[in-house]
Amino acid sequence: MGKANIKVLKDNQKAIHPRSRKAKQISKKVSRELKLKKRRGDSNIKLQCLGDKLAWFKENMDQEVDVITPKHVLELIEKYIDRNTEELEQITLKHGIGGRQVRQHASREDCLRITKEREMELFTNSGFETVDFLTPDTLNIFKSWTGELRYLPNIKLRKYTKQGLEAMISGTCEASQHSSPHQMEEDDSDEEDSGDEMSD
C-alpha cells in the first residue's frame, strides 16, 4: 500500500503536501510567531514586576527632597527588602496559636521568605537593581513618573550593593565605584518601540 496522500489546506484552498518545502516554511513561520509571542509574554511579566518594585520606591521615598544621599538609598532598599516582615510575623503568630501542627499559609510564607533571602543576597553580592537615585536628572524623571509601564525605559537603573553604599556613606569611595548604571533595554528586538516620551 502506498503512502497516504495527506494534504494541508491553506486559506486559499490550495492543497499543500505536508512534506513539501511550502509546508515547512509555513510550519517554521508559525513556530517563530509562537516563540515571539512567548518572549513578549515573558518580557511583559518582567516589566510588570519592575514596575511594581519602582512604584513601591516612589511611594516610600521623600518626594520633597531634591538630592537623595547614599544613606537614604541604603535605608530605602533595606526597607523594601523588609516590606513583608509584618506579614511573616502574623503568619508565625498564627502557627503558635493552639499549638497547631499544620502550617497554615505555608506556600505564602515560603514565597515571602525565599523572596527576602534572594533580594538580600543580591544586595550583599552582585547588587540590588533600582532607580539611579544619585543622578539628579534620573531622580527628576522618576519623580514625574506616573506609574505607566511604557515610560519605564526612560528611567535609568543602577545596581547597588550594601558594602558600596556603606563605603559611600563613610566617604571611602565615590558613587561610581560600587554601582553600575544602565538604561533599561527591551528583551525582544522584534517588539515595536512605543516611541513615546515622558512628559515633564
Side-chain angles (χ1 to χ4, degrees), residues 56-57 60-61 72-80 133:
W56 185 97
F57 277 95
N60 288 272
M61 66 178 285
H72 291 147
V73 177
L74 177 63
E75 291 173 349
L76 267 175
I77 294 176
E78 288 181 337
K79 185 178 178 181
Y80 177 81
F133 290 108

Side-chain angles (χ1 to χ4, degrees), residues 119-134:
E119 291 171 347
M120 181 57 72
E121 183 180 358
L122 287 173
F123 191 37
T124 55
N125 292 297
S126 60
F128 182 90
E129 186 177 57
T130 184
V131 179
D132 184 8
F133 290 108
L134 303 182

Side-chain angles (χ1 to χ4, degrees), residues 29-109:
K29 183 179 179 181
V30 171
S31 178
R32 181 177 182 276
E33 288 175 353
L34 289 174
K35 287 180 181 178
L36 287 177
K37 186 176 180 181
K38 183 179 184 300
R39 289 181 64 187
R40 289 191 184 99
D42 293 341
S43 178
N44 289 338
I45 292 173
K46 290 179 182 178
L47 199 64
Q48 183 64 54
C49 291
L50 178 62
D52 291 342
K53 179 167 74 171
L54 297 193
W56 185 97
F57 277 95
K58 192 170 191 303
E59 291 172 4
N60 288 272
M61 66 178 285
D62 189 350
Q63 299 283 341
E64 302 300 323
V65 297
D66 295 326
V67 177
I68 291 186
T69 64
K71 182 180 179 182
H72 291 147
V73 177
L74 177 63
E75 291 173 349
L76 267 175
I77 294 176
E78 288 181 337
K79 185 178 178 181
Y80 177 81
I81 293 174
D82 290 334
R83 68 193 181 281
N84 296 315
T85 300
E86 184 178 347
E87 185 177 351
L88 279 169
E89 289 175 351
Q90 290 177 352
I91 293 174
T92 303
L93 185 64
K94 288 179 180 179
H95 290 169
I97 297 176
R100 295 176 178 173
Q101 298 297 323
V102 180
R103 288 176 60 207
Q104 276 191 324
H105 314 293
S107 60
R108 176 64 177 167
E109 180 184 14

Side-chain angles (χ1 to χ4, degrees), residues 51 54-55 58 141-148 151-152 155 198:
L54 297 193
K58 192 170 191 303
I141 291 173
F142 184 58
K143 282 183 177 181
S144 64
W145 179 53
T146 59
E148 292 188 62
Y151 294 135
L152 280 180
I155 302 172
M198 183 182 296

Side-chain angles (χ1 to χ4, degrees), residues 9-14:
L9 294 180
K10 288 182 66 179
D11 294 337
N12 58 11
Q13 298 299 308
K14 287 184 179 179

